Amino acid sequence: MFRVSENEGPRASARHDHRQFEAVYRREAPKLLSFLKRRIWIEEDRHDLVQEAFTRLVASRSTAASSNPGAYLQGIVRHLLADRVRTWAKAQSFDPAVYSANKDIAGPDAVAEINDMRKRYRLAVEGLPPRTKEVYLLHLAEELGYRQIAEQLDISIRTVEWHVAEAIVRIGKSIGSAHG
């Protein structure tokens, strides 16, 4: 992601990459933590999500990641939040009577917020352009890898990467603008 000219040696290149990463981290991590503070109560969870976002940023070969890391990180964090909501929602398909008295059960405000987030996420996915939606759902819902999607749709892996990144950014913007 963070690259310099090929004329530099590997050590100089690594130092430059590290400095660029540190600059992006110092600039973007506080923004992400602030964004998450209103959405996740547990500080450790917020830091875990930011860490995961930066891990995905570094691992990404997407041009969107290197050209605008701040927006890409926002998209990743919003995507991770949506994943948490879906995971939580699946786990909450329960009969409250089954739970013992010493377990925490989400209150009505939290349930309403989760339902609202779920609805906004669904609407954001529905609003994607058809091909982007198709690629995104194959990757997310069908859990297909980029290569499998590329072969199935007869497109390049780069095109699959672009559609997934585009979906993440659009969903993030949609969820963010709907939330205020």
Side-chain angles (χ1 to χ4, degrees), residues 1-5 8-25 58:
M1 173 181 138
F2 302 101
R3 299 287 173 242
V4 292
S5 74
E8 291 189 36
R11 192 172 284 153
S13 176
R15 260 193 325 270
H16 186 74
D17 288 355
H18 185 72
R19 270 185 267 142
Q20 283 182 311
F21 177 80
E22 282 183 352
V24 170
Y25 188 86
V58 170

Side-chain angles (χ1 to χ4, degrees), residues 137-154:
L137 291 176
L138 283 172
H139 180 61
L140 191 74
E142 302 294 323
E143 298 181 353
L144 296 181
Y146 287 3
R147 182 175 306 281
Q148 292 171 296
I149 296 169
E151 290 169 1
Q152 183 174 329
L153 300 179
D154 196 29

